[in-house]
Amino acid sequence: MSRIYMDHAATTPVRSEVLDAMLPYFNPEFGNASSVYSWGRSAHQALDVARDKVAQLLAAEANEIIFTSGGSEGANLAIKGVAWAYQNKGKHLITSAIEHHAVLDTVLWLKKQGFEVTVLPVDEEGMVSPAQVADALRPDTILVSIMHANNEVGTIQPIAEIGAIVREHGAFFHTDAVQTAGVLELNVQELNVDLLSLSAHKLYGPKGVGALYCRKGVRLEPLIHGGAQERRRRAGTENVAGIVGLARALELAREEQEAENERLTKLRDRLLEGLQQIPYTKVNGSLTHRLPNNVNVCFQYIEGESMLLNLDLKGIAASSGSACTSGSLDPSHVLLAMGLTHEIAHGSLRLTLGRSTTEADIDFVLQEVPVIVERLRQMSPLFQG
Ligand SMILES: *Cc1c(COP(=O)(O)O)cnc(C)c1O
């Protein structure tokens, strides 16, 4: 049986060009970048080159890039780092109800430590309103964190507009760009952000490595103390091979971005259109401000989890809600924030396309899904069809 991977929002395979770039830094160039001899210098140089590349792709400066272990650490460092460094200035933080748990749980943890938190609602498409951000800002607001695009429903937020409002007010602005890095242009100047986090494994790089952009002048209290790496903002011997892989993956994505987005948008729209032919089906998210690879629908009267198991039997890998919430019976906090009922939210299916996705994959999914939905509905006591 052939296998169809349609869960690119969860993770992506390392592409061969990225692996090739990384391999020398496991061996022979395995040195510690802090060492003075040639192995160390080679590692140090690789880090410099990678940092320059990442900075350039974000329109940032090299010393504004902090390498991390991924998106979760980036969000934690941005949020806790700013909160702790500026707590004497104010203790109010703003975020949205549809953030990834890496942001949401960090902010809620800070709340338990005595910070005040405003969690903004979203509209039925999952959009955060800039006007609501403006209304929520207070004299003691130190940080606003709003994600660039949502990992479940693909909604792309008006980050530049929100950023301008936050800057005008004098607070700092972080965006979780894990889902947009390698997909949309990420120019930190045009986006009006002070902090931006991204992760390699969502863009055909390795797991366990990412980057945080931190604008010059923004102080961060480190999460990890120890050596002087990353200008004392993140101690620990650098993941040289991973960082080289991250930079190469971002660079390749940037080169191919335009053509790949065009290709994926067509496939996405065909899939969305086909799935909507199934009765009692609702598309989640925005049709206009949407990631080119995201499809998210709810099939009334069925459980997303049973859907996933049935798809897996056909070799199709998909997701229901986010990877972090699947396994629990709670429906997605994102869909609930968008106003869906628990019942409807339970029947959600997310299919996220990627480099490997072909027309034939879409055809196969459109052939199998209606059959599975029909079969599951026949078994459901709620379905009268
Ligand atoms: C995957 C993801 C993260 C977490 O990134 P990791 O590198 O897996 O820690 C954070 N935010 C969003 C939107 C994501 O999709």
Side-chain angles (χ1 to χ4, degrees):
M1 186 176 66
S2 64
R3 294 199 301 166
I4 297 179
Y5 184 76
M6 283 214 187
D7 203 15
H8 290 83
T11 196
T12 56
V14 174
R15 50 190 293 184
S16 59
E17 304 95 317
V18 169
L19 184 61
D20 289 345
M22 293 172 67
L23 284 173
Y25 295 97
F26 290 106
N27 197 12
E29 303 301 335
F30 59 85
N32 184 322
S34 303
S35 306
V36 295
Y37 42 71
S38 70
W39 281 272
R41 288 198 305 272
S42 167
H44 198 276
Q45 197 179 2
L47 287 179
D48 283 348
V49 170
R51 201 182 303 278
D52 284 343
K53 256 186 211 174
V54 173
Q56 199 207 328
L57 290 167
L58 299 178
E61 285 172 27
N63 57 19
E64 295 176 311
I65 303 299
I66 303 168
F67 291 117
T68 65
S69 67
S72 300
E73 188 191 326
N76 273 263
L77 179 54
I79 298 168
K80 291 176 192 164
V82 165
W84 287 333
Y86 291 91
Q87 56 186 316
N88 293 328
K89 184 170 171 254
K91 295 193 105 178
H92 182 235
L93 312 166
I94 299 173
T95 190
S96 84
I98 55 149
E99 299 297 309
H100 188 276
H101 283 293
V103 167
L104 211 45
D105 291 8
T106 301
V107 168
L108 295 177
W109 181 83
L110 283 168
K111 189 176 175 180
K112 284 195 272 177
Q113 312 295 312
F115 285 84
E116 285 182 62
V117 173
T118 300
V119 179
L120 294 173
V122 293
D123 69 12
E124 63 280 2
E125 291 189 343
M127 279 290 211
V128 175
S129 132
Q132 277 184 319
V133 174
D135 285 346
L137 284 162
R138 311 191 321 205
D140 60 341
T141 307
I142 48 176
L143 179 74
V144 177
S145 186
I146 305 287
M147 73 199 311
H148 195 186
N150 182 266
N151 47 303
E152 292 187 39
V153 294
T155 304
I156 301 168
Q157 306 296 338
I159 291 303
E161 205 183 327
I162 295 172
I165 292 167
V166 176
R167 179 162 301 158
E168 168 80 23
H169 186 82
F172 294 127
F173 185 38
H174 167 249
T175 193
D176 169 354
V178 172
Q179 289 293 332
T180 50
V183 178
L184 302 184
E185 195 186 336
L186 290 187
N187 180 317
V188 293
Q189 314 308 334
E190 288 171 6
L191 286 173
N192 298 321
V193 296
D194 302 299
L195 302 121
L196 177 149
S197 44
L198 57 87
S199 177
H201 77 100
K202 303 286 175 85
L203 53 106
Y204 306 93
K207 291 171 184 56
V209 62
L212 174 66
Y213 158 75
C214 178
R215 188 176 292 279
K216 203 183 300 169
V218 178
R219 282 181 289 123
L220 285 180
E221 193 59 39
L223 302 183
I224 303 175
H225 299 92
Q229 291 92 351
E230 302 300 307
R231 297 177 151 246
R232 296 199 168 278
R233 292 168 297 186
R234 203 268 188 186
T237 302
E238 300 88 345
N239 176 3
V240 180
I243 290 166
V244 167
L246 164 65
R248 184 74 181 117
L250 255 184
E251 180 178 54
L252 288 163
R254 184 54 185 269
E255 284 165 24
E256 299 166 6
Q257 192 165 292
E258 210 173 320
E260 182 62 355
N261 285 351
E262 199 177 318
R263 191 184 78 87
L264 289 175
T265 302
K266 281 191 194 132
L267 294 174
R268 175 199 73 185
D269 289 346
R270 257 197 64 215
L271 184 53
L272 272 172
E273 217 163 281
L275 293 174
Q276 283 181 91
Q277 305 304 312
I278 301 173
Y280 308 107
T281 298
K282 178 191 181 309
V283 174
N284 299 313
S286 166
L287 289 178
T288 45
H289 299 97
R290 188 182 200 99
L291 287 174
N293 76 332
N294 176 287
V295 169
N296 190 312
V297 293
C298 282
F299 302 114
Q300 228 176 312
Y301 310 114
I302 66 173
E303 292 282 338
E305 295 297 310
S306 350
M307 185 78 211
L308 294 190
L309 296 175
N310 279 272
L311 284 171
D312 184 42
L313 291 174
K314 294 289 178 184
I316 301 167
S319 159
S320 170
S322 70
C324 315
T325 48
S326 61
S328 84
L329 285 173
D330 291 337
S332 140
H333 69 285
V334 175
L335 297 178
L336 295 181
M338 288 161 60
L340 272 70
T341 63
H342 274 65
E343 266 166 293
I344 306 270
H346 266 306
S348 70
L349 174 69
R350 180 187 74 179
L351 296 159
T352 42
L353 322 183
R355 295 183 71 235
S356 64
T357 311
T358 63
E359 292 262 358
D361 292 350
I362 304 292
D363 290 339
F364 185 68
V365 170
L366 284 177
Q367 170 193 311
E368 297 301 326
V369 172
V371 180
I372 297 171
V373 170
E374 178 61 21
R375 192 168 61 235
L376 291 174
R377 280 183 179 163
Q378 290 310 326
M379 293 172 4
S380 163
L382 300 170
F383 186 60
Q384 307 293 327

